[in-house]
Every structure is written in structure tokens, then in C-alpha cells.
Amino acid sequence: MAEPDPEPMASGAAQRLGAPETLGISTLDPGHKPPAMPPGRHVTIRVRMLDDTEELFDISQKASGKVLFDLVCSHMNLIEGDYFGLEFQNHQKMMVWLDHIKPIIKQLRRPKHTILRFAVKFFPPDHAQLLEELTRYLFALQIKQDVSCGRLTCNDTSAALMVSHIIQSEIGDFEESQCRSHLLNNNYIPDQMPLIDKIMEFHSKNIGQTPAESDHQLLEVARRLEMYGIRLHPAKDREGTRLSLAVAHTGVLVFQGHTKINAFNWSKVRKLSFKRKRFLIKLRPDLNSSYQDTLEFLMGSRDCCKVFWKICVEYHAFFRLFEEPKPKPKPVIFTRGSSFRFSGRTQKQVIDYVRESEFKKIPFERKHSRVQHNIRLSPLPSPRPHEVVDSPSLHCWKESALVSAEDPSASRTTRASPSQQRNAVVSNSPHLSASSGHSHGMVNGQKSLELCSHSPNGRQPSPLTSPLLNDAGSVRTDDEDEVRRKRFPTDRAYFIAKELLTTERTYLKDLEVMTVSFQSAVGQDEATPESLKKTVLSTFEPLHKFHTGFLREVEQRLALWEGRSNAHIKGDYQRIGDVMLKNLQGLKPLTANLHKQTEVMLELEKACRASRRLEGLCRDFELQKVCYVPLNVFILRPLHRLSHYKQILERLCKHYPATHVDFRDCRAALADVSEVAEQLQGSLSKMENFQKLLELKKDLIGVENLVVPGREFIRLGCLSKLSGKGLQQRMFFLFNDVILYTSRGMTATNQFKMHGQLPLHGMTIRESEDEWGVPHAFTLVGQQQSVVVAASSLTEKEKWMEDIQAAIEMAKTSNGHSSELLTSNLTDNKAESEDDITASHTSLERPSPHRGNTMVHVCWHRNTSVSMVDFSIAVENQLSGNLLRKFKNSNGWQKLWVVFTNFSLFFYKSHQDDYPLASLPLLGYSVTIPSESENIHKDYVFKLHFKSHVYYFRSESEYTFERWMEVIRSATVPSSGACVLNNKESHAH
């Protein structure tokens, strides 16, 4: 019988190896039942888990391996089970993986006496690709086993560093006598005694790390080691030299001892096969290579060859293909070679599935951890499905989805059953990112409920949902509110005036951020230059004083307008134009202060560059809850406020007939504010671009010269980049001279790591969907490098191609280029060596905090993009006011003060609160009117929904309903991107 000779291996990621039909889902989806158990005699099978416990599973002998594997994943509530497998020792004393397709009875000779080991099967290159904390925890247990048994070899420093993170997770913060005693009683690495002092030294630097963060740091060190995820298979070359073969996400590796001496990338491999004891690697022709077309290795037996060949087929399919391979047609007469093919989801399918499913994850028990974390949560008993995200996993994401804020200890001590999980999800569906004392929510960039801390998956609170103000003390409304509302005037002018009132309250709070909060946090420090203190004070204090008086007058007028006792004099008080005219004329002498916003921003940036201490103070201030949007946005607020006054007056003038008593005052006030706004328009668009560059600079690692004269920001967002590893999610930044592409950094700073840059000068762009077989793909052809990328949808592809093409045309006509970017850590084609580990640890162990609620992170999680036009339009579309909110399955309505700005809704108990308690970024959401079937029998209700997350909001009038719908649509339906560069100025006022 002919030996197996598999199909040629694909070099293009769109080609595939072929596979038989899979049996159902790869891991147990929530809401799905395990595959039906075939009839027949049952047998109890023992499975040893990664924490060394043993579990018993009762299963039919005729069941496939997949049925058993799904039962194990279901038992653990493991969603990303595709990275794992069940291995056992076969009758030839070889460790093999349980085949998902074959019946168990054909694989286990003595099932009652066989112990299967649940273990990691596929090791991804970056643990950022693992979206659940549970998955990372299991990977950490696997690393712990590999280090202990000597399979993961490394130098002493790396070994000590990894052990320090393991014991930080198990016993908590460093205490010398406890740490030494623990190490004397527990052996983590071979020959541990000489390294105890070094382990304790590293452990002392881990104070404050949660178990989840320790897992992150452990994986960060491990993934850089040469032997990470390596399983050696003994072999010999043609000369008889003893070698070992291994397979990784990149391809087939050759080791001598524990040193890698060769690697054959998947793109270079044409075919893998084996004939008896010979394992064959057929390479693609390469004129520059000295290798033969076919490499031959001799292994211990035919079975050894077949076991290794199977692993290679599975690794290739899992990491290289976009989707599960199509089944190979069965031959009519006879077969040649092995029938084995990869069965299951590819890594890309796993990542897409978990992201799109938006699971409400539940906590799990760390059986080896004695650490008790006193997590201070905000008084929000509503479970926190993912912070705009379920919890730290997919969206902070999955860590404490269903944990009551009143019972923080539950976050690491229990793991509910699947039925409990489903019930909890139904009753607590959408939530919004809670932000309390130690919160890292989408509100302020700090640790979100601390469970999410620096989300070890690098994915801090995702921008998808969150827990929100469901505590018993919150104001709930009923029909009494309806009665109260009916007393208010019904005139449209009243609601326009009320919008002035509500937005002025928010604006005054924003001014206080600069006059009070910033002054107390930064202005009192000696590192702040006196000139900067004086500039901030002289600029914002007069504005704050003026708008305090303005707000008081507006509040008094609205109180008279809606007061029943004044019905007899309504002609005098049911207007707002006179108040606006008087105050906007009073604002004219402060035009100089408005001009100084530019000076404040420039001087603050200059001072931060000159003083590391001041830079740190400003960064820490941005992480405070009161600073709910980037600091520089507050500096530009006075300029933006002028456009809001202009819009309000335009609506009043449009509403009033020319004969109305208020029309003349509104028209005069509109002329005054338009005059001031026109004077400032010239510098506003430049300052918005400058502000955006400064904000992006904080989001990026490895970019030195982002803010240079002449550089304009155009668009940022997610694209998938095609590489030797397949499609990799990357964050792209388009400027008028260069395109940068980055990936999410696996550090607690939540920043994006620079991978490469593509100058626009001389670039061309072409569609390449057919060429690569990848949906929505296009190619950027530069003078030195070409990059193939794929957008998430046709609309996204069109936006990117239009903007890039427009930027390329502009680059042709520009006089020279902006300064070259000074970059470091370009990682796409560079491997990190083990020697770099200690250096990287230094930067990781006390990372500078970084806000996690910028639009870069929202785009990353929602796989979309926004342009500078979108940001400019968002400046105009800001709104504040009371809304009633209801979750999909909740009963009553909850009254909240809501602020819409920066593409997000920010939620407060009342307008007097100094900072928001939760937030909801809206990019990707849809805003619609509820259908009849949803049984929302109220007026002025709109519905926000994103995948499975649904919120209902009620406004008080037709006018406010229309305004909320209008501004939310501006965030949920970004601009088409056409003529971005030409139209930017028209949108920036």
C-alpha cells in the first residue's frame, strides 16, 4: 500500500489542504447542546486537566473524539477550546492527539485504563490573540508544566523571571519569609535552589500584580523563548546527524539539541509527506537558496513520521487558512495515502467567532492561587458583562461579566454552570462601562473595576457594553414622570432653549476641569513652569467666570418659562434670544482669551517635552475620572462652544416667524457669534489636527517624530494585513505623507506597537481581491515595499481606498516630504531574542499608565475606522440632557444625565456630578425606532443596538428625540470618506 503523500501545501493563505466534514461545532457554543451521544455501551474516561486535577466523563464508546473534547470544554466553560487538545499514550508508547473524527473505541484500546491529558496544542505567536482570561490562565498552567519538566529551556534569568510571576499569581505580593518558605517547599524548575535569591528579587518587583496580570507577564516572557511551544520529534539527516523536528505557527523547524538550526516557512514549503521512516519536505524553487528541492529526514518509525506529519497538517491549517478547509471528495474505487485532514476552526475563525459573539463571560476559580484581592468596585450591583465589554476578556472583557459589584470576591472564586451563565446573560444583557475608584473603564482610562486593570490580554475594557448604574439608589421613573412632563411648555423654542441650558451645564463643568481640577493636580507642582500656570489661569478663569453668570441667567429664564405661576406674563419670559444677545455681546471682549487656546496647547506640549515630571503629571491627570476625554480636548472646548451657540441660534431663527418678539434678538446674536467664530476659524482646523496628532502620539510605541509641521491626520482604523502568518489584525494610521501600521501592544500601557511605515510618495494602490482570494482586499505598492490588506467590509474598503488615493495625489503635488519618522521595534520581520527579555521586563514591570478609552482602542475592538472628517463632525454634534434608559429585559426605566461627546455616551446620576460613572462608545452601533414586537409602548423612544446588546432610551419631547437621533447617527454612521482632504475644512467649524 502506498505511503501517505498529502496534497501540496499552500503558499497562498487562501489555498487549503482539504478536510473531511467536521462533526458540529469546534468547541461548545453557548446555548448549544453537546453533540448527541451515540447509542451503545458507555465508558468512563479520565482526563487530567492542566491544574493536575482529574475529571471523569461518561461517554459512549462509539462517540467521536470530538464529542469527548466538547464535553471537556463545556465542563470548563471554555470558548477558545480550539487551541487545546486531548493527548494520550497509544499502544506504541507514543504521545498522540485524540482524533476528533474517529470514534473513541478505535483510538483507545483500554479506555478505562487510559488517562487523557488536556493540553495546549496550538501555540500562537502572540498571546494578545487569546481573548479570554481563562484561556490565558490555561496557557500559563501549560508554561508552568513545560518549565517544570525542563521542556521549555531557557537561561537562569528567564527561568527566575517566569517563576516570580508564577508565585505572584499563587501567593500574592512579596513577603520575604513567606516567599522563601514557599520556594523551599515547591519546585518550579529543575535545579531551583541556586536561583531562589534571584527569583525572590524578581518577585519583590511584582507587587500589585493580579493573577491575571501575572499570567500576562509570564506569557510575555515565555513567548520570546526559542523553545516556546516546541515539541521535539527525534530524527536524523541524511548524514546520520541526530536532530529534532518541530512545528510552529511559522512552519517546520529543525533543532540540534535545544538550538534551532533551521526553519522552513510555510510559504517556502510546497509539500510535506512521508514514506515509511522518511519524512520529506519539498520546497518551492528558489534561485537564491542552496537547499535541494526535497529535504529528507529519517525518523524512528513510520508511525513517528505519521504522528509528526499530522501535527504539521493541523498547524498549517490552523494558523495559515482563513476558514475551515473544504472536505476532499472521496475516491470512487480506492484511496492512496492517509485520509487524515484537519478538522475544526482556524485561528482566524476562532478570533472572529469570539469577538462577534460578545460572550458574557463568567469568573473561574484559580485553584492554585491563594491570592485574595480586595477589589474596590463602584456601588453598582448590576453585573458587569463586559466593559463595553463583558469583562477583561473580549471586552475587559470577559473577566467578571456576571459578578455583582457588591460581591467582588466572586470574581475569582466561582465559575457558574453553563445554565447559570445563560440565565444571567438573559437577565442582565447590555451594560455600560462602569468606572469607579480604580476603574479602567471607557470613562477615564483607569483600571476598570480593577478586575480589568491593565487587561492582561492587552484588551482593556472593550468598547462594547458595560455595567451601568443599576444600583438600588438610582432614580427610577414611572408614570409620575409623564404627569410632571405634561406641565412643561410644548413650544419647540422652549426645547431649543433647554438644549442651550443642558449643554451649557456640561460646558461649565468642562471649564472647571481646567480651572479647578487641572490647577490642583498639575498647577501646584513646581515642575509646571510659571508661564504655563499664568497662561492657563488668564485664559480659562475669565471664561469660567463669564459662563457661570451666563448659565445662571439661562437657568432663571427657563425656570420662569416653564413656571405655571407665570402663565399671565408668558410673552415676556417665553423667549431666550435677549439673554443670548446680551451675553454673546459680553463674550466679545473675551475674544482674546479664545485666541489663547492655541497658545495654551502649544505651551503645554512644549513644557511636557522639556520636563518628564510634568509629562507624567499630565498623564496621571488624564487618568483621573474627571478627565473623561483627552486633556487637549478640554483646551479646545471654548472654540467648539461657539459653533454650538451658532447652531442653537440658527434653529431658533428657523423656527420663529419674522414677526416673533424673539426673532430680532436671535438674529442679532447669531450675527455676533458668527463674527467671533469666523475670526477663530483659521486656527481651529489647524489646532484640531495638532490635537489629534498629540493624542495619537500617546497611543503609539516606537514612533519618535509623529508631530511635525505639515503632517495632517486623515484616517485611522483596523485592516487585516496579509503576511507569512496569514491575515493579522493591524491598526493603520493614514497621514498626508505616510501610512503607519501597528499592532496592539501586549503591555499594561494599552498602546499600539509600530510595525512599519509606507511613504505615500510614489505609492500606487490597486484592488487585489481576486488576486489573493481574500474578501475586500487591496494592495499598497510602495517604492520599497508592497503590503496586501483586507478591510472588514466593502464600505470600509471604499473609505480606505478613497482616502489613500486622495492622500497619494496630494503627496504628488506637495513640496517635499514631512520629516522622516524615527521608528524602533519594527517587529514584522524581526525576531526578539532571549537576551532581550530582561530589558523588556524592565519596561513592563512598572509601565506608565495610559488611557484606554481613545477612539484607537474602540476602532481596534470594533474592527472599523474613523477619519478626521468624522472627528470634526463629532465636534459639532455634542449634546447633554436627561434620558430614561431601559435594558432589553429589564422592567422599569432609569433616569440618567447623559452627555454625548467624542463618539460616546457618558452616564451620570445627575448633571451636578463631577465625573461620569459609565460610558458607551457608539462606533458600530445602530440607532433605530423600536418595532411593535418589542412592546415599548412609550413616545419618543429610540433604540441602540450592537450585535446582541440592546438599549432603549426615552426623551421628553419630539424635538429632543430628533436631536438625540441626529447626533447619535453622526457617531454610528461615519462619513463615507469621499474627498476627505478637500472637504476637511468645511467640516471643521
Side-chain angles (χ1 to χ4, degrees), residues 496-497 499-508 510 547 550 580 584 587 628 633 636-652 669-670 673-674 677 681 684 688 871-880 899-902 959 963 967 987-989:
I496 298 174
E499 180 182 331
L500 171 67
L501 168 66
T502 56
T503 54
E504 190 71 11
R505 282 172 173 166
T506 296
Y507 175 53
L508 194 63
D510 288 349
H547 286 280
F550 183 19
M580 293 197 72
L584 289 175
L587 186 62
Y628 63 100
V633 172
L636 292 181
R637 280 288 200 243
L639 300 180
H640 298 154
R641 187 61 178 150
L642 293 176
S643 69
H644 302 156
Y645 292 144
K646 189 176 174 184
Q647 292 172 19
I648 287 170
L649 287 164
E650 285 172 344
R651 282 195 285 273
L652 283 168
L670 178 59
V673 75
S674 298
Q681 184 55 46
L684 179 57
E688 285 180 339
F871 284 106
S872 298
I873 293 174
V875 163
E876 299 177 359
N877 290 291
Q878 299 185 23
L879 195 60
S880 307
V899 174
F900 174 76
T901 186
N902 223 39
Y959 171 79
R963 285 290 292 139
V967 299
H987 289 291
H989 53 272

Coordinates of all heavy atoms in Angstrom, one line a residue, residues 496-497 499-508 510 547 550 580 584 587 628 633 636-652 669-670 673-674 677 681 684 688 871-880 899-902 959 963 967 987-989:
I496 N -35.5 74.1 22.4 CA -34.2 74.5 21.9 C -33.5 75.3 23.0 O -32.3 75.1 23.2 CB -34.4 75.4 20.6 CG1 -35.1 74.6 19.5 CG2 -33.1 76.0 20.2 CD1 -35.5 75.5 18.3
A497 N -34.2 76.2 23.7 CA -33.6 76.9 24.8 C -33.1 75.9 25.9 O -32.1 76.2 26.5 CB -34.6 77.9 25.4
E499 N -32.0 73.0 25.4 CA -30.8 72.4 24.9 C -29.6 73.3 25.2 O -28.5 72.9 25.6 CB -30.8 72.1 23.4 CG -29.5 71.5 22.9 CD -29.6 71.2 21.4 OE1 -30.6 71.0 20.8 OE2 -28.5 71.3 20.8
L500 N -29.8 74.6 25.1 CA -28.8 75.6 25.5 C -28.4 75.4 27.0 O -27.3 75.4 27.3 CB -29.3 77.0 25.2 CG -28.4 78.1 25.8 CD1 -27.0 78.1 25.0 CD2 -29.1 79.5 25.6
L501 N -29.5 75.3 27.8 CA -29.2 75.1 29.2 C -28.5 73.8 29.5 O -27.5 73.9 30.3 CB -30.6 75.1 29.9 CG -30.6 74.6 31.4 CD1 -29.8 75.7 32.3 CD2 -32.0 74.4 31.9
T502 N -28.9 72.7 29.0 CA -28.2 71.4 29.3 C -26.8 71.4 28.8 O -25.9 70.9 29.5 CB -29.0 70.2 28.8 OG1 -29.2 70.4 27.4 CG2 -30.4 70.2 29.4
T503 N -26.6 71.9 27.6 CA -25.2 71.8 27.1 C -24.3 72.9 27.8 O -23.1 72.6 27.9 CB -25.2 72.1 25.6 OG1 -25.9 73.3 25.3 CG2 -25.9 70.9 24.8
E504 N -24.9 74.0 28.2 CA -24.1 74.9 29.0 C -23.6 74.4 30.3 O -22.5 74.7 30.8 CB -24.9 76.2 29.2 CG -24.1 77.4 29.7 CD -23.1 78.0 28.7 OE1 -23.2 77.6 27.5 OE2 -22.3 78.8 29.1
R505 N -24.5 73.6 30.9 CA -24.1 72.9 32.2 C -22.9 72.0 32.0 O -21.9 72.0 32.8 CB -25.2 72.1 32.7 CG -26.3 72.9 33.4 CD -27.5 72.1 33.8 NE -28.5 72.8 34.6 CZ -29.8 72.5 34.8 NH1 -30.2 71.3 34.3 NH2 -30.6 73.2 35.5
T506 N -22.9 71.3 30.9 CA -21.7 70.4 30.6 C -20.5 71.2 30.3 O -19.4 70.9 30.7 CB -22.1 69.5 29.4 OG1 -23.2 68.6 29.8 CG2 -20.9 68.6 29.0
Y507 N -20.7 72.3 29.5 CA -19.6 73.1 29.1 C -18.9 73.8 30.3 O -17.7 73.8 30.5 CB -20.0 74.2 28.1 CG -19.0 75.2 27.8 CD1 -17.7 74.8 27.3 CD2 -19.2 76.6 27.9 CE1 -16.8 75.7 26.9 CE2 -18.2 77.5 27.5 CZ -17.0 77.1 27.1 OH -16.0 78.0 26.7
L508 N -19.7 74.2 31.3 CA -19.2 74.8 32.5 C -18.4 73.8 33.3 O -17.3 74.1 33.9 CB -20.3 75.4 33.4 CG -19.8 76.4 34.5 CD1 -19.1 77.6 33.9 CD2 -21.0 76.8 35.4
D510 N -16.8 71.3 32.0 CA -15.6 71.1 31.3 C -14.6 72.3 31.5 O -13.4 72.0 31.6 CB -15.9 71.0 29.8 CG -16.5 69.7 29.4 OD1 -16.6 68.8 30.3 OD2 -17.0 69.6 28.3
H547 N -19.1 82.4 32.0 CA -20.1 81.4 31.7 C -20.9 81.0 32.9 O -22.0 80.5 32.8 CB -19.5 80.2 31.0 CG -19.1 80.4 29.6 ND1 -20.0 80.4 28.5 CD2 -18.0 80.8 29.0 CE1 -19.5 80.7 27.4 NE2 -18.2 80.9 27.6
F550 N -23.6 83.5 32.8 CA -24.5 83.2 31.6 C -25.4 82.0 32.0 O -26.6 82.1 31.7 CB -23.6 82.8 30.4 CG -24.3 82.5 29.1 CD1 -25.6 83.0 28.9 CD2 -23.7 81.9 28.1 CE1 -26.3 82.7 27.7 CE2 -24.4 81.6 26.9 CZ -25.7 82.0 26.7
M580 N -29.3 85.5 25.2 CA -28.2 85.1 24.4 C -27.5 86.4 23.8 O -26.3 86.5 23.7 CB -28.6 84.2 23.3 CG -29.0 82.8 23.8 SD -29.0 81.5 22.5 CE -27.3 81.3 22.3
L584 N -23.7 87.1 24.5 CA -22.7 87.0 23.4 C -22.0 88.3 23.1 O -20.8 88.3 22.7 CB -23.4 86.4 22.2 CG -23.8 84.9 22.3 CD1 -24.6 84.5 21.1 CD2 -22.6 84.1 22.5
L587 N -19.4 88.4 25.6 CA -18.3 87.5 25.3 C -17.3 88.1 24.3 O -16.1 87.7 24.3 CB -18.9 86.2 24.7 CG -17.9 85.0 24.4 CD1 -17.3 84.5 25.7 CD2 -18.6 83.9 23.7
Y628 N -12.6 62.9 31.5 CA -13.2 61.8 30.8 C -13.0 61.7 29.3 O -13.3 60.8 28.6 CB -14.8 61.8 31.1 CG -15.5 63.0 30.5 CD1 -16.2 62.9 29.3 CD2 -15.5 64.2 31.2 CE1 -16.9 64.0 28.8 CE2 -16.2 65.3 30.7 CZ -16.9 65.2 29.5 OH -17.6 66.3 29.1
V633 N -8.6 68.0 24.5 CA -9.9 68.3 24.0 C -10.6 69.4 24.9 O -11.3 70.2 24.4 CB -10.8 67.0 24.1 CG1 -12.2 67.3 23.8 CG2 -10.2 66.0 23.0
L636 N -9.6 72.9 23.8 CA -10.3 73.4 22.6 C -11.8 73.6 22.8 O -12.4 74.1 21.9 CB -10.0 72.4 21.5 CG -8.6 72.3 20.9 CD1 -8.5 71.4 19.7 CD2 -8.1 73.7 20.5
R637 N -12.3 73.2 24.0 CA -13.7 73.3 24.2 C -14.3 74.7 24.0 O -15.4 74.9 23.3 CB -14.1 72.9 25.6 CG -14.1 71.4 25.8 CD -15.4 70.8 25.2 NE -15.7 69.5 25.8 CZ -15.7 68.3 25.1 NH1 -15.4 68.3 23.8 NH2 -16.0 67.2 25.7
P638 N -13.6 75.8 24.4 CA -14.2 77.1 24.2 C -14.3 77.5 22.7 O -15.3 78.2 22.3 CB -13.2 78.1 24.9 CG -12.5 77.2 25.9 CD -12.4 75.9 25.3
L639 N -13.4 77.0 21.9 CA -13.6 77.3 20.4 C -14.8 76.5 19.9 O -15.5 77.0 19.0 CB -12.3 76.9 19.7 CG -11.0 77.6 20.2 CD1 -9.8 77.1 19.4 CD2 -11.2 79.1 20.0
H640 N -14.9 75.2 20.3 CA -16.0 74.4 19.8 C -17.4 74.9 20.3 O -18.4 74.8 19.6 CB -15.9 73.0 20.3 CG -14.6 72.3 19.8 ND1 -14.0 71.2 20.5 CD2 -13.9 72.5 18.7 CE1 -12.9 70.9 19.8 NE2 -12.8 71.6 18.7
R641 N -17.4 75.6 21.5 CA -18.7 76.0 22.0 C -19.3 77.1 21.2 O -20.5 77.2 21.1 CB -18.4 76.5 23.5 CG -19.7 76.9 24.2 CD -20.6 75.7 24.4 NE -21.8 76.0 25.1 CZ -23.0 75.3 24.9 NH1 -23.1 74.4 24.0 NH2 -24.0 75.7 25.6
L642 N -18.5 77.9 20.5 CA -19.0 78.9 19.6 C -19.9 78.3 18.5 O -21.0 78.9 18.2 CB -17.9 79.7 19.0 CG -17.0 80.6 19.9 CD1 -15.9 81.2 19.2 CD2 -17.9 81.6 20.6
S643 N -19.5 77.2 18.0 CA -20.3 76.6 16.9 C -21.6 76.0 17.4 O -22.6 76.0 16.7 CB -19.5 75.5 16.2 OG -19.3 74.4 17.1
H644 N -21.6 75.6 18.7 CA -22.8 75.2 19.3 C -23.8 76.3 19.5 O -25.0 76.1 19.2 CB -22.5 74.5 20.7 CG -21.6 73.4 20.6 ND1 -20.8 73.0 21.7 CD2 -21.2 72.6 19.6 CE1 -20.0 71.9 21.3 NE2 -20.3 71.7 20.0
Y645 N -23.3 77.5 20.0 CA -24.2 78.6 20.1 C -24.8 79.0 18.7 O -26.0 79.3 18.6 CB -23.4 79.8 20.6 CG -23.0 79.7 22.0 CD1 -21.8 80.3 22.5 CD2 -23.8 79.1 23.0 CE1 -21.3 80.2 23.8 CE2 -23.3 79.0 24.3 CZ -22.1 79.5 24.7 OH -21.7 79.4 26.0
K646 N -23.9 78.9 17.7 CA -24.4 79.2 16.3 C -25.5 78.3 15.9 O -26.5 78.7 15.3 CB -23.1 79.1 15.4 CG -23.4 79.7 14.0 CD -22.1 79.6 13.2 CE -22.3 80.0 11.8 NZ -21.1 79.9 11.0
Q647 N -25.3 77.0 16.1 CA -26.3 76.0 15.7 C -27.7 76.3 16.4 O -28.7 76.2 15.8 CB -25.9 74.6 16.0 CG -24.7 74.1 15.2 CD -24.2 72.8 15.7 OE1 -24.9 72.1 16.4 NE2 -23.0 72.5 15.3
I648 N -27.6 76.6 17.7 CA -28.8 76.8 18.5 C -29.5 78.0 18.0 O -30.8 78.0 17.8 CB -28.5 77.0 20.0 CG1 -28.1 75.6 20.6 CG2 -29.6 77.6 20.8 CD1 -27.5 75.6 22.0
L649 N -28.8 79.1 17.7 CA -29.4 80.3 17.2 C -30.0 80.1 15.8 O -31.0 80.7 15.5 CB -28.4 81.5 17.2 CG -28.1 82.0 18.6 CD1 -26.8 82.8 18.7 CD2 -29.3 82.8 19.2
E650 N -29.3 79.4 15.0 CA -29.8 79.1 13.6 C -31.1 78.3 13.7 O -32.1 78.6 13.0 CB -28.8 78.3 12.8 CG -27.6 79.1 12.4 CD -26.5 78.2 11.7 OE1 -26.6 77.0 12.0 OE2 -25.6 78.8 11.1
R651 N -31.3 77.4 14.7 CA -32.5 76.6 14.8 C -33.6 77.6 15.3 O -34.8 77.4 14.9 CB -32.3 75.5 15.8 CG -31.6 74.3 15.1 CD -31.7 73.0 16.0 NE -30.9 73.0 17.1 CZ -29.6 72.6 17.1 NH1 -29.1 72.2 16.0 NH2 -28.9 72.7 18.2
L652 N -33.3 78.5 16.2 CA -34.3 79.4 16.7 C -34.8 80.3 15.6 O -36.0 80.6 15.4 CB -33.7 80.2 17.9 CG -33.7 79.5 19.2 CD1 -32.8 80.3 20.2 CD2 -35.0 79.2 19.8
A669 N -27.9 88.1 17.8 CA -27.0 87.2 18.5 C -26.3 86.3 17.5 O -25.0 86.0 17.7 CB -27.7 86.4 19.6
L670 N -27.0 85.8 16.5 CA -26.4 84.9 15.5 C -25.3 85.7 14.8 O -24.2 85.1 14.5 CB -27.4 84.4 14.6 CG -26.9 83.5 13.4 CD1 -26.2 82.2 14.0 CD2 -28.1 83.0 12.6
V673 N -22.1 86.0 17.1 CA -21.4 84.8 17.3 C -20.7 84.3 16.1 O -19.6 83.8 16.1 CB -22.2 83.6 17.9 CG1 -23.2 83.0 16.9 CG2 -21.4 82.5 18.6
S674 N -21.3 84.5 14.9 CA -20.7 84.2 13.6 C -19.5 85.0 13.4 O -18.5 84.5 12.8 CB -21.7 84.4 12.5 OG -22.9 83.6 12.7
A677 N -16.7 83.6 15.6 CA -16.3 82.2 15.1 C -15.5 82.4 13.8 O -14.6 81.6 13.6 CB -17.6 81.4 14.8
Q681 N -11.8 80.8 13.0 CA -11.9 79.6 12.2 C -10.5 79.2 11.6 O -10.2 78.0 11.4 CB -12.9 79.8 11.1 CG -13.1 78.5 10.2 CD -13.5 77.3 11.0 OE1 -14.4 77.4 11.9 NE2 -12.9 76.2 10.7
L684 N -8.6 77.1 14.1 CA -9.3 76.0 14.7 C -8.9 74.7 14.0 O -8.6 73.7 14.7 CB -10.8 76.2 14.7 CG -11.6 75.1 15.3 CD1 -11.2 74.8 16.7 CD2 -13.1 75.4 15.3
E688 N -7.1 71.5 15.7 CA -7.8 70.2 15.8 C -6.8 69.1 15.3 O -6.7 68.0 15.8 CB -9.1 70.2 15.0 CG -10.2 70.9 15.7 CD -11.5 70.9 15.0 OE1 -11.5 70.6 13.7 OE2 -12.6 71.1 15.6
F871 N -14.1 63.1 13.1 CA -13.7 63.8 14.3 C -14.2 65.3 14.3 O -14.7 65.8 15.3 CB -12.2 63.8 14.5 CG -11.7 62.5 15.0 CD1 -11.0 61.6 14.2 CD2 -11.9 62.1 16.3 CE1 -10.5 60.4 14.6 CE2 -11.5 60.8 16.8 CZ -10.8 60.0 15.9
S872 N -14.1 65.9 13.1 CA -14.5 67.3 13.0 C -16.0 67.4 13.1 O -16.6 68.3 13.7 CB -14.1 67.9 11.7 OG -12.6 67.9 11.6
I873 N -16.7 66.5 12.5 CA -18.2 66.5 12.6 C -18.6 66.2 14.0 O -19.6 66.8 14.5 CB -18.8 65.4 11.6 CG1 -18.6 65.8 10.2 CG2 -20.3 65.2 11.9 CD1 -19.0 64.8 9.2
A874 N -17.9 65.3 14.7 CA -18.2 65.0 16.1 C -18.2 66.2 17.0 O -18.9 66.3 18.0 CB -17.3 63.9 16.6
V875 N -17.3 67.1 16.7 CA -17.2 68.4 17.5 C -18.5 69.1 17.5 O -18.9 69.7 18.5 CB -16.0 69.2 16.9 CG1 -16.1 70.6 17.4 CG2 -14.7 68.6 17.3
E876 N -19.1 69.2 16.3 CA -20.4 69.9 16.2 C -21.5 69.2 16.9 O -22.4 69.8 17.4 CB -20.7 70.1 14.7 CG -19.6 70.9 13.9 CD -20.0 71.0 12.5 OE1 -21.0 70.4 12.1 OE2 -19.2 71.6 11.7
N877 N -21.5 67.9 16.9 CA -22.6 67.1 17.4 C -22.3 66.7 18.8 O -22.0 65.5 19.1 CB -22.8 65.9 16.5 CG -23.4 66.3 15.1 OD1 -24.5 66.7 15.0 ND2 -22.5 66.1 14.1
Q878 N -22.5 67.6 19.7 CA -22.5 67.3 21.1 C -23.8 67.6 21.8 O -24.5 68.6 21.4 CB -21.3 68.1 21.8 CG -20.0 67.7 21.2 CD -18.8 68.4 21.9 OE1 -18.9 68.8 23.1 NE2 -17.7 68.6 21.2
L879 N -24.2 66.9 22.8 CA -25.5 67.1 23.4 C -25.5 66.6 24.8 O -24.7 65.7 25.1 CB -26.5 66.3 22.6 CG -28.0 66.6 22.8 CD1 -28.3 68.1 22.5 CD2 -28.9 65.7 21.9
S880 N -26.3 67.2 25.6 CA -26.4 66.8 27.0 C -27.9 66.8 27.4 O -28.7 67.6 26.8 CB -25.7 67.7 28.0 OG -24.3 67.9 27.6
V899 N -24.4 62.7 28.6 CA -23.6 63.6 27.8 C -23.1 62.8 26.6 O -22.5 61.8 26.7 CB -22.4 64.2 28.6 CG1 -21.5 65.0 27.7 CG2 -22.9 65.0 29.8
F900 N -23.3 63.4 25.4 CA -22.8 62.8 24.2 C -21.7 63.6 23.6 O -21.9 64.8 23.3 CB -23.9 62.7 23.1 CG -23.4 62.2 21.8 CD1 -23.1 60.9 21.6 CD2 -23.2 63.1 20.7 CE1 -22.6 60.4 20.3 CE2 -22.7 62.7 19.5 CZ -22.4 61.3 19.3
T901 N -20.5 63.0 23.6 CA -19.3 63.7 23.0 C -18.3 62.7 22.7 O -18.3 61.6 23.2 CB -18.8 64.8 24.0 OG1 -17.7 65.5 23.4 CG2 -18.2 64.1 25.2
N902 N -17.4 63.0 21.7 CA -16.3 62.1 21.4 C -16.7 60.7 21.0 O -16.1 59.7 21.4 CB -15.4 62.0 22.7 CG -13.9 62.1 22.3 OD1 -13.5 62.9 21.4 ND2 -13.1 61.3 22.9
Y959 N -38.8 67.2 19.8 CA -37.5 67.9 19.5 C -36.3 67.2 20.0 O -35.3 67.0 19.3 CB -37.6 69.3 20.0 CG -36.3 70.1 19.8 CD1 -35.9 70.6 18.6 CD2 -35.4 70.2 20.9 CE1 -34.7 71.2 18.4 CE2 -34.2 70.8 20.7 CZ -33.8 71.3 19.5 OH -32.6 72.0 19.3
R963 N -33.2 65.4 18.1 CA -31.8 65.8 18.3 C -30.9 64.6 18.7 O -29.8 64.5 18.2 CB -31.7 66.9 19.4 CG -32.2 68.3 18.9 CD -31.2 68.9 17.9 NE -30.0 69.2 18.5 CZ -28.8 69.0 18.0 NH1 -28.6 68.4 16.8 NH2 -27.7 69.4 18.7
V967 N -27.6 63.4 16.5 CA -26.2 63.4 17.0 C -25.7 62.0 17.1 O -24.5 61.7 16.8 CB -26.0 64.2 18.3 CG1 -26.4 65.6 18.2 CG2 -26.8 63.5 19.4
H987 N -15.8 70.9 7.3 CA -16.4 70.2 8.4 C -15.8 70.6 9.7 O -16.3 70.2 10.8 CB -16.3 68.7 8.2 CG -17.1 68.1 7.2 ND1 -18.5 68.1 7.2 CD2 -16.8 67.6 5.9 CE1 -19.0 67.5 6.2 NE2 -18.0 67.3 5.3
A988 N -14.8 71.4 9.7 CA -14.1 71.7 10.9 C -14.5 72.8 11.7 O -14.0 73.1 12.8 CB -12.6 71.8 10.6
H989 N -15.6 73.5 11.3 CA -16.0 74.6 12.1 C -17.0 74.2 13.2 O -17.5 73.2 13.2 CB -16.7 75.7 11.2 CG -17.7 75.1 10.3 ND1 -17.5 74.6 9.1 CD2 -19.1 75.0 10.5 CE1 -18.6 74.2 8.5 NE2 -19.6 74.4 9.4

